[in-house]
Amino acid sequence: QSVLTQPPSVSAAPGQRVTISCSGTTSNIGNNYVSWFRHLPGTAPKLLIYENTNRPSGIPDRFSGSKSGTSATLAITGLQTGDEADYFCAVWDAGLNAVVFGGGTELTVL
Amino acid sequence: EVLLVQSGAELRKPATTVKISCKVSGYIFSDFYIHWVRRAPGKGLQWMGLLDPANGETFYAASFQGRVTLTADTSLDTAYMDLSSLTSDDTAVYYCVMSSGGISVPIFNHWGQGTLLTVSS
């Protein structure tokens, strides 16, 4: 069972907007920076968002991150079939002295 | 260009140990933390630990404490992950990751290609 809670799956139609939530505590999300990753098994995970809201170079602005209190959210607009993947949040947990990942959310573009 | 190149796939029997290497290039090895993350079939990403190549300081996930050892050889720009007392639950793809963030900021922007470990008798 993960320290961070994500919905197991989300779905939306092409062109639509979807959000993925990541819920934690004051030990992790509440006081540290959140990162978001996309992962397709067989490939290396890809960093989408770091420090809650920042996009690495090369990540389109269709991807955005936000944080409020002990929860973080990844939003993806203009969904494409190529966005189908598993999405994970990650953050440092000061109580555990460890990086913790959310359980992951499978995105389906219908 | 930053590259992390991992050693090849491994097959181990239960109760044995595996050592996976991660050779980096394109940056100063001792300047950034190396983390290790795995993904088992049907499971999510799981953080295993981190190493500061500059001084050898390590942090390990509680679930791997006592079984995982992270080391580095700065003369070879290579990080290593040893995992002992293997069980079938350790069957997974293992990734080394370079973080350009501080110790508590997981900016995992450079990943190795992954190493498949299969544990089977």
Side-chain angles (χ1 to χ4, degrees):
Chain A
Q1 198 155 1
S2 302
V3 172
L4 306 178
T5 301
Q6 296 182 232
S9 63
V10 295
S11 62
Q16 295 297 302
R17 177 179 184 267
V18 71
T19 61
I20 298 172
S21 61
C22 177
S23 177
T25 68
T26 54
S27 293
N28 42 66
I29 293 178
N31 287 286
N32 290 290
Y33 287 114
V34 178
S35 295
W36 287 92
F37 303 88
R38 174 172 65 192
H39 190 214
L40 276 168
T43 68
K46 189 174 189 68
L47 178 67
L48 299 175
I49 298 290
Y50 66 96
E51 291 178 337
N52 303 332
T53 61
N54 296 320
R55 281 187 311 276
S57 61
I59 301 300
D61 59 7
R62 299 189 300 109
F63 295 88
S64 63
S66 62
K67 190 181 96 166
S68 178
T70 57
S71 291
T73 301
L74 173 71
I76 310 172
T77 60
L79 274 174
Q80 305 170 0
T81 55
D83 293 329
E84 289 197 329
D86 298 322
Y87 291 81
F88 295 88
C89 55
V91 66
W92 179 261
D93 189 298
L96 299 173
N97 268 346
V99 174
V100 291
F101 281 95
T105 300
E106 181 181 19
L107 169 63
T108 302
V109 181
L110 301 167
Chain B
E1 180 190 10
V2 173
L3 287 176
L4 287 78
V5 180
Q6 299 181 220
S7 47
E10 300 274 9
L11 174 61
R12 290 285 186 274
K13 294 186 184 307
T16 62
T17 296
V18 70
K19 189 182 196 81
I20 298 173
S21 66
C22 172
K23 181 168 176 58
V24 313
S25 60
Y27 73 97
I28 299 173
F29 181 47
S30 57
D31 279 357
F32 298 97
Y33 297 104
I34 292 286
H35 296 246
W36 289 84
V37 175
R38 76 177 188 181
R39 188 164 189 190
K43 301 286 182 65
L45 295 173
Q46 184 177 21
W47 183 80
M48 300 179 68
L50 73 89
L51 168 76
D52 183 350
N55 57 21
E57 183 181 25
T58 54
F59 287 84
Y60 298 121
S63 54
F64 294 100
Q65 200 81 30
R67 286 209 303 137
V68 67
T69 303
L70 303 183
T71 56
D73 185 334
T74 54
S75 69
L76 298 177
D77 289 342
T78 301
Y80 302 94
M81 188 278 294
D82 286 82
L83 187 62
S84 62
S85 303
L86 293 171
T87 72
S88 58
D89 289 342
D90 294 313
T91 293
V93 178
Y94 290 75
Y95 297 96
C96 60
V97 195
M98 185 271 264
S99 177
S100 57
I103 195 166
S104 63
V105 185
I107 304 178
F108 295 173
N109 44 355
H110 297 285
W111 295 70
Q113 83 276 20
T115 296
L116 174 62
L117 167 66
T118 304
V119 182
S120 174
S121 55

